[in-house]
């Protein structure tokens, strides 16, 4: 590990060279002369990531590189959700990074290195045929994960005990109001506007709460899908919980990081519905599924805007601010598709001037 890496204030490593060399040597059964540790750019989480390059004294079976995920603090004696869900998904043959080792006492997770190319980056230079191919793969993978994980989940998986109920969904809406409307936009809502907004958001969340429960990744989008060995690998699954079938599909197809044409979104929703019918061996009401998909998209996009605003206004991280405008446009477009949700549309337009523009 070079000295620059060790002193980088943004990386804050808690490890040293002897620890890495001894740990990797023990893992792969060979002597390690040294380890290069390169910090990677952080995301909105409190975890830190490092790419490790071990220098083996002799050629053996150890990987040329691997990832070290440093948790914000150790959780000794506790079962870490990321590790438990990784084992659950890997046991279902869902493509997730392989877990080499979890050091609970120190708060380090050693993982397979799946490269640097996210789906978002891969799509930047794609033609239409390539884009369609990648999204077919992502939709197929999501349908497969959702079906098998929902069928096989048991109480030993953390996601089993968590769900997107009205309380959780409304907590996210209140977070958006606090950090986007009142925080980033610095707007003081009148009691009338505030009450109307929360009333219609509560109605939206209650409608979503009534949907059948499925395993949801919770953050299934183009920045959490890595392109590796000509396929896709899923990251950031530690917050999985039970929720509507449409949750992850909305996250993927109404993605704040890569905007897709509505006609293309419609085609991919059709594909998912067809796969769902095949896997569950039952009919699916396509119109109803699409209706809930749109409602889930609105809630999911509002939640994302709250997160982006929090990062900008509270944390001082402006990386996500450019994502707010396209996400608002998703909401604006989707609301116009459903006359029976005019009340929600008017309430949001009253609270968020950009939506009425």
């Amino acid at each position: 590990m070079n000295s620059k890496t060790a002193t980088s204030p943004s990386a804050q490593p808690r490890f040293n060279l002897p620890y890495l060399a001894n740990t990797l040597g023990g893992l792969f059964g060979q002597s390690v002369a040294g380890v290069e540790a390169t910090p990677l750019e952080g995301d909105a989480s409190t975890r830190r990531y490092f790419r490790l390059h071990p220098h083996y004294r002799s050629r053996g079976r150890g990987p040329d590189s691997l990832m070290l995920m440093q948790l914000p603090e150790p959780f000794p004696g506790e079962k870490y959700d990321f590790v438990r869900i990784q084992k659950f998904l890997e046991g279902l043959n869902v493509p997730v990074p392989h877990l080499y080792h979890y050091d609970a006492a120190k708060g380090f997770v050693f993982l397979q290195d799946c490269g640097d190319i996210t789906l978002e980056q891969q799509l930047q230079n794609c033609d239409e045929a390539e884009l369609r191919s990648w999204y077919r793969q992502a939709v197929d993978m999501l349908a497969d994960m959702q079906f098998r994980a929902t069928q096989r989940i048991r109480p030993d998986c953390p996601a089993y005990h968590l769900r997107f109920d009205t309380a959780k969904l409304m907590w996210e809406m209140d977070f958006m109001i606090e950090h986007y409307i009142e925080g980033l936009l610095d707007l003081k809502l009148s009691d009338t506007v505030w009450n109307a907004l929360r009333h219609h958001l509560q109605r939206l969340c209650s409608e979503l709460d009534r949907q059948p429960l499925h395993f949801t990744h919770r953050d299934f989008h183009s920045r959490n899908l890595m392109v590796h060995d000509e396929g896709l690998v899923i990251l950031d699954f530690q917050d999985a919980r039970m929720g509507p079938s449409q949750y992850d599909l909305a996250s993927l197809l109404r993605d704040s990081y890569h905007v897709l044409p509505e006609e293309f979104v419609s085609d991919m929703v059709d594909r998912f519905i067809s796969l769902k019918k095949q896997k569950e061996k039952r009919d699916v009401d396509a119109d109803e599924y699409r209706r809930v998909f749109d409602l889930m998209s609105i809630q999911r996009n509002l939640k994302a805007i709250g997160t982006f605003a929090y990062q900008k206004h509270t944390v001082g991280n402006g990386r996500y601010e450019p994502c707010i405008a396209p996400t608002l446009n998703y909401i604006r477009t989707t609301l116009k598709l459903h006359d029976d949700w005019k009340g929600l549309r008017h309430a949001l337009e009253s609270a968020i001037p950009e939506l009425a523009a």
Side-chain angles (χ1 to χ4, degrees):
M1 182 173 61
N2 59 46
S3 58
K4 245 185 205 182
T5 300
T7 58
S8 171
S10 62
Q12 302 174 351
R14 297 196 304 263
F15 50 80
N16 57 34
L17 177 59
Y19 168 79
L20 293 179
N22 290 336
T23 301
L24 298 181
L27 282 177
F28 304 117
Q30 54 191 309
S31 179
V32 175
V35 182
E36 294 178 33
T38 305
L40 303 184
E41 182 181 1
D43 55 13
S45 78
T46 56
R47 298 178 296 276
R48 294 290 179 265
Y49 295 89
F50 302 83
R51 173 170 282 116
L52 306 182
H53 288 279
H55 298 295
Y56 304 108
R57 295 188 187 278
S58 60
R59 300 187 69 178
R61 55 185 177 156
D64 292 334
S65 66
L66 63 158
M67 303 300 298
L68 171 63
M69 180 171 72
Q70 177 178 282
L71 308 183
E73 59 182 345
F75 298 96
E78 295 185 22
K79 294 181 178 179
Y80 185 48
D81 285 355
F82 177 95
V83 173
R84 297 166 71 189
I85 295 176
Q86 186 277 339
K87 291 180 177 179
F88 171 66
L89 292 176
E90 192 172 52
L92 298 175
N93 293 320
V94 173
V96 295
H98 178 66
L99 173 68
Y100 292 117
H101 176 57
Y102 170 43
D103 188 336
K106 295 185 179 296
F108 298 139
V109 183
F110 295 81
L111 296 163
Q112 176 189 6
D113 183 359
C114 295
D116 293 311
I117 307 301
T118 64
L119 179 60
E120 178 196 21
Q121 294 167 322
Q122 182 72 20
L123 296 173
Q124 289 175 3
N125 299 311
C126 277
D127 59 26
E128 185 175 348
E130 290 173 313
L131 181 140
R132 187 169 291 273
S133 176
W134 282 114
Y135 270 95
R136 281 176 180 154
Q137 186 176 157
V139 166
D140 292 1
M141 184 169 64
L142 173 59
D144 189 54
M145 177 183 72
Q146 183 180 107
F147 174 72
R148 286 193 284 146
T150 301
Q151 292 291 311
R152 297 277 297 277
I153 195 165
R154 297 293 183 269
D156 59 341
C157 179
Y160 181 93
H161 305 280
L162 303 171
R163 60 172 292 194
F164 279 113
D165 56 14
T166 303
K168 177 61 178 177
L169 295 168
M170 271 306 294
W171 183 93
E172 294 177 342
M173 297 300 87
D174 287 333
F175 189 87
M176 180 276 298
I177 293 171
E178 176 185 356
H179 293 287
Y180 178 59
I181 297 176
E182 299 175 342
L184 188 62
L185 297 183
D186 194 23
L187 296 176
K188 177 64 176 174
L189 301 182
S190 69
D191 289 345
T192 301
V193 172
W194 189 87
N195 287 332
L197 178 61
R198 287 199 86 256
H199 167 75
H200 288 287
L201 289 174
Q202 180 88 26
R203 181 184 165 216
L204 171 68
C205 294
S206 297
E207 176 80 3
L208 295 170
D209 188 7
R210 289 193 285 271
Q211 303 307 311
L213 292 176
H214 295 74
F215 178 89
T216 65
H217 174 285
R218 192 182 179 181
D219 223 6
F220 194 90
H221 55 66
S222 61
R223 286 188 180 176
N224 282 336
L225 296 173
M226 301 300 297
V227 176
H228 181 65
D229 289 343
E230 300 182 0
L232 295 173
V233 177
I234 304 170
L235 305 184
D236 250 12
F237 40 75
Q238 66 279 341
D239 294 323
R241 62 176 54 216
M242 307 303 288
S245 169
Q246 293 87 343
Y247 191 97
D248 286 339
L249 192 63
S251 182
L252 175 68
L253 298 179
R254 294 219 168 105
D255 182 354
S256 300
Y257 308 121
H258 189 87
V259 177
L260 297 168
E262 276 302 306
E263 184 178 354
F264 183 83
V265 170
S266 181
D267 288 347
M268 292 299 105
V269 173
D270 281 345
R271 184 179 184 89
F272 189 91
I273 292 172
S274 177
L275 290 166
K276 186 175 175 67
K277 289 178 180 178
Q278 293 173 25
K279 293 177 183 298
E280 297 181 2
K281 294 181 170 55
R282 67 178 184 87
D283 193 27
V284 175
D285 185 332
D287 290 339
E288 174 64 8
Y289 194 91
R290 286 174 166 280
R291 185 186 75 87
V292 177
F293 171 81
D294 285 341
L295 297 182
M296 190 73 260
S297 298
I298 294 169
Q299 195 280 340
R300 180 70 175 76
N301 288 149
L302 287 169
K303 180 259 184 188
I305 286 173
T307 300
F308 301 152
Y310 171 79
Q311 285 293 315
K312 172 63 176 177
H313 185 256
T314 303
V315 179
N317 177 10
R319 177 187 178 193
Y320 301 94
E321 189 174 15
C323 301
I324 293 177
T327 309
L328 282 171
N329 195 52
Y330 277 137
I331 297 166
R332 185 185 299 113
T333 301
T334 308
L335 281 168
K336 291 178 181 178
L337 299 176
H338 299 276
D339 287 340
D340 53 333
W341 288 89
K342 280 184 179 178
L344 175 61
R345 176 177 147 197
H346 293 154
L348 283 168
E349 289 176 346
S350 297
I352 304 174
E354 286 86 345
L355 277 178

